[in-house]
Amino acid sequence: MDVGRSSEWVVCGCFLQQSHGHVEVDSAPGAGTTIRMFLPRVEAAIEQLPEPRDTVPSSFGAGQTVLVVEDDPAVRQVAVSTLKSLGFNVMEAASGDEAARLLKANRQVDLVFSDIRMPGKLTGIGLARLIRREMPKIRVLLTTGHVDGDETIEDIDLLYKPYRAVDLAEKIQVLMAAVQSADGEAFDVDAAASAAE
């Protein structure tokens, strides 16, 4: 882990919080820093869970455009690569403000995939509200490592970090299926998912 990268600490913190664990940090000048992560012990027998699907569903994004909004270039590149592998045309923005300018200039975007916490005036939630108000046909999927209590995200689709490529693909499939169903077009999510197995 790159100690200077706050996004990696957010992911660790999110994982520890979801796992009901905690972290201890000891630091002394000249002696360095020691970080200990504690996770709860499992006392009960673990039930057999279904095998997770690790394959990304086959290309289903042909002819559709996604705008990826993420201030961390490495995280943005992973999302862009995944979406391109699914057949989507992909545009990129490093902030909510930049994304708003791109959307006003190009209304051919079908979906915005945005981090919640970003520099600038518009957070991901602010961007989602702007899109709902001014461009209601564009779908929004937000992502974050955690949400503060003052950030309300009712009625907004959310994918928690860290996520796998298959998680992103499946979330977008479900979101696009809901859009197409609302438009009267059939979209079989189960068939698309089984094609990926």
Side-chain angles (χ1 to χ4, degrees), residues 16 19-22 37-46:
L16 285 168
S19 304
H20 304 288
H22 69 278
M37 295 184 205
F38 297 89
L39 298 170
R41 181 181 302 217
V42 176
E43 300 293 337
I46 299 173

mmCIF file of all heavy atoms in Angstrom, residues 16 19-22 37-46:
data_model
loop_
_atom_site.group_PDB
_atom_site.id
_atom_site.type_symbol
_atom_site.label_atom_id
_atom_site.label_comp_id
_atom_site.label_asym_id
_atom_site.label_seq_id
_atom_site.Cartn_x
_atom_site.Cartn_y
_atom_site.Cartn_z
ATOM 1 N N LEU A 16 -12.540 -2.593 7.123
ATOM 2 C CA LEU A 16 -12.522 -2.832 8.570
ATOM 3 C C LEU A 16 -13.879 -2.523 9.199
ATOM 4 O O LEU A 16 -14.363 -3.266 10.048
ATOM 5 C CB LEU A 16 -11.437 -1.997 9.235
ATOM 6 C CG LEU A 16 -10.007 -2.498 9.029
ATOM 7 C CD1 LEU A 16 -9.007 -1.450 9.476
ATOM 8 C CD2 LEU A 16 -9.778 -3.803 9.765
ATOM 9 N N SER A 19 -16.367 -5.176 8.393
ATOM 10 C CA SER A 19 -16.014 -6.436 9.056
ATOM 11 C C SER A 19 -16.079 -6.328 10.579
ATOM 12 O O SER A 19 -15.738 -7.275 11.274
ATOM 13 C CB SER A 19 -14.598 -6.851 8.652
ATOM 14 O OG SER A 19 -14.483 -6.953 7.263
ATOM 15 N N HIS A 20 -16.468 -5.166 11.100
ATOM 16 C CA HIS A 20 -16.533 -4.915 12.544
ATOM 17 C C HIS A 20 -15.147 -5.055 13.189
ATOM 18 O O HIS A 20 -15.016 -5.555 14.293
ATOM 19 C CB HIS A 20 -17.552 -5.835 13.227
ATOM 20 C CG HIS A 20 -18.912 -5.730 12.637
ATOM 21 N ND1 HIS A 20 -19.717 -4.634 12.826
ATOM 22 C CD2 HIS A 20 -19.603 -6.570 11.820
ATOM 23 C CE1 HIS A 20 -20.852 -4.814 12.163
ATOM 24 N NE2 HIS A 20 -20.799 -5.965 11.546
ATOM 25 N N GLY A 21 -14.124 -4.606 12.466
ATOM 26 C CA GLY A 21 -12.765 -4.632 12.983
ATOM 27 C C GLY A 21 -12.328 -3.236 13.393
ATOM 28 O O GLY A 21 -13.117 -2.293 13.388
ATOM 29 N N HIS A 22 -11.065 -3.113 13.767
ATOM 30 C CA HIS A 22 -10.520 -1.800 14.097
ATOM 31 C C HIS A 22 -9.021 -1.772 13.812
ATOM 32 O O HIS A 22 -8.419 -2.800 13.518
ATOM 33 C CB HIS A 22 -10.811 -1.420 15.558
ATOM 34 C CG HIS A 22 -10.061 -2.251 16.562
ATOM 35 N ND1 HIS A 22 -10.490 -3.497 16.961
ATOM 36 C CD2 HIS A 22 -8.913 -2.003 17.237
ATOM 37 C CE1 HIS A 22 -9.632 -3.986 17.852
ATOM 38 N NE2 HIS A 22 -8.663 -3.100 18.040
ATOM 39 N N MET A 37 -4.088 -4.107 12.200
ATOM 40 C CA MET A 37 -5.502 -4.230 11.857
ATOM 41 C C MET A 37 -6.055 -5.469 12.548
ATOM 42 O O MET A 37 -5.474 -6.549 12.446
ATOM 43 C CB MET A 37 -5.672 -4.341 10.348
ATOM 44 C CG MET A 37 -5.259 -3.104 9.619
ATOM 45 S SD MET A 37 -5.592 -3.245 7.867
ATOM 46 C CE MET A 37 -4.402 -2.106 7.220
ATOM 47 N N PHE A 38 -7.170 -5.294 13.233
ATOM 48 C CA PHE A 38 -7.792 -6.384 13.974
ATOM 49 C C PHE A 38 -9.152 -6.703 13.377
ATOM 50 O O PHE A 38 -9.977 -5.806 13.170
ATOM 51 C CB PHE A 38 -7.959 -5.993 15.450
ATOM 52 C CG PHE A 38 -6.649 -5.760 16.146
ATOM 53 C CD1 PHE A 38 -6.062 -4.506 16.159
ATOM 54 C CD2 PHE A 38 -6.004 -6.810 16.786
ATOM 55 C CE1 PHE A 38 -4.850 -4.284 16.796
ATOM 56 C CE2 PHE A 38 -4.786 -6.603 17.421
ATOM 57 C CZ PHE A 38 -4.203 -5.343 17.426
ATOM 58 N N LEU A 39 -9.366 -7.980 13.116
ATOM 59 C CA LEU A 39 -10.644 -8.467 12.590
ATOM 60 C C LEU A 39 -11.240 -9.451 13.582
ATOM 61 O O LEU A 39 -10.512 -10.184 14.251
ATOM 62 C CB LEU A 39 -10.441 -9.145 11.229
ATOM 63 C CG LEU A 39 -9.890 -8.243 10.130
ATOM 64 C CD1 LEU A 39 -9.498 -9.058 8.920
ATOM 65 C CD2 LEU A 39 -10.914 -7.192 9.748
ATOM 66 N N PRO A 40 -12.564 -9.490 13.692
ATOM 67 C CA PRO A 40 -13.181 -10.417 14.647
ATOM 68 C C PRO A 40 -12.971 -11.871 14.227
ATOM 69 O O PRO A 40 -12.909 -12.188 13.041
ATOM 70 C CB PRO A 40 -14.660 -10.039 14.606
ATOM 71 C CG PRO A 40 -14.844 -9.354 13.304
ATOM 72 C CD PRO A 40 -13.540 -8.701 12.961
ATOM 73 N N ARG A 41 -12.845 -12.730 15.225
ATOM 74 C CA ARG A 41 -12.698 -14.159 14.986
ATOM 75 C C ARG A 41 -14.079 -14.759 14.733
ATOM 76 O O ARG A 41 -15.051 -14.399 15.379
ATOM 77 C CB ARG A 41 -12.074 -14.825 16.202
ATOM 78 C CG ARG A 41 -11.854 -16.313 16.038
ATOM 79 C CD ARG A 41 -11.261 -16.885 17.282
ATOM 80 N NE ARG A 41 -10.015 -16.180 17.550
ATOM 81 C CZ ARG A 41 -8.933 -16.748 18.047
ATOM 82 N NH1 ARG A 41 -8.947 -18.001 18.377
ATOM 83 N NH2 ARG A 41 -7.848 -16.045 18.249
ATOM 84 N N VAL A 42 -14.146 -15.685 13.818
ATOM 85 C CA VAL A 42 -15.402 -16.381 13.539
ATOM 86 C C VAL A 42 -15.485 -17.576 14.468
ATOM 87 O O VAL A 42 -14.621 -18.449 14.458
ATOM 88 C CB VAL A 42 -15.472 -16.830 12.058
ATOM 89 C CG1 VAL A 42 -16.730 -17.630 11.801
ATOM 90 C CG2 VAL A 42 -15.400 -15.628 11.144
ATOM 91 N N GLU A 43 -16.530 -17.613 15.299
ATOM 92 C CA GLU A 43 -16.701 -18.702 16.264
ATOM 93 C C GLU A 43 -17.565 -19.830 15.702
ATOM 94 O O GLU A 43 -17.348 -20.993 15.979
ATOM 95 C CB GLU A 43 -17.337 -18.166 17.557
ATOM 96 C CG GLU A 43 -16.504 -17.091 18.241
ATOM 97 C CD GLU A 43 -15.190 -17.601 18.803
ATOM 98 O OE1 GLU A 43 -15.060 -18.811 19.064
ATOM 99 O OE2 GLU A 43 -14.266 -16.786 18.980
ATOM 100 N N ALA A 44 -18.575 -19.471 14.929
ATOM 101 C CA ALA A 44 -19.514 -20.475 14.409
ATOM 102 C C ALA A 44 -18.956 -21.117 13.144
ATOM 103 O O ALA A 44 -18.041 -20.599 12.509
ATOM 104 C CB ALA A 44 -20.848 -19.811 14.101
ATOM 105 N N ALA A 45 -19.531 -22.259 12.811
ATOM 106 C CA ALA A 45 -19.147 -22.933 11.567
ATOM 107 C C ALA A 45 -19.565 -22.058 10.392
ATOM 108 O O ALA A 45 -20.618 -21.422 10.417
ATOM 109 C CB ALA A 45 -19.828 -24.293 11.477
ATOM 110 N N ILE A 46 -18.736 -22.019 9.371
ATOM 111 C CA ILE A 46 -19.029 -21.203 8.198
ATOM 112 C C ILE A 46 -19.860 -22.032 7.222
ATOM 113 O O ILE A 46 -19.469 -23.137 6.841
ATOM 114 C CB ILE A 46 -17.727 -20.743 7.513
ATOM 115 C CG1 ILE A 46 -16.916 -19.901 8.495
ATOM 116 C CG2 ILE A 46 -18.031 -19.970 6.250
ATOM 117 C CD1 ILE A 46 -15.548 -19.534 7.997
#
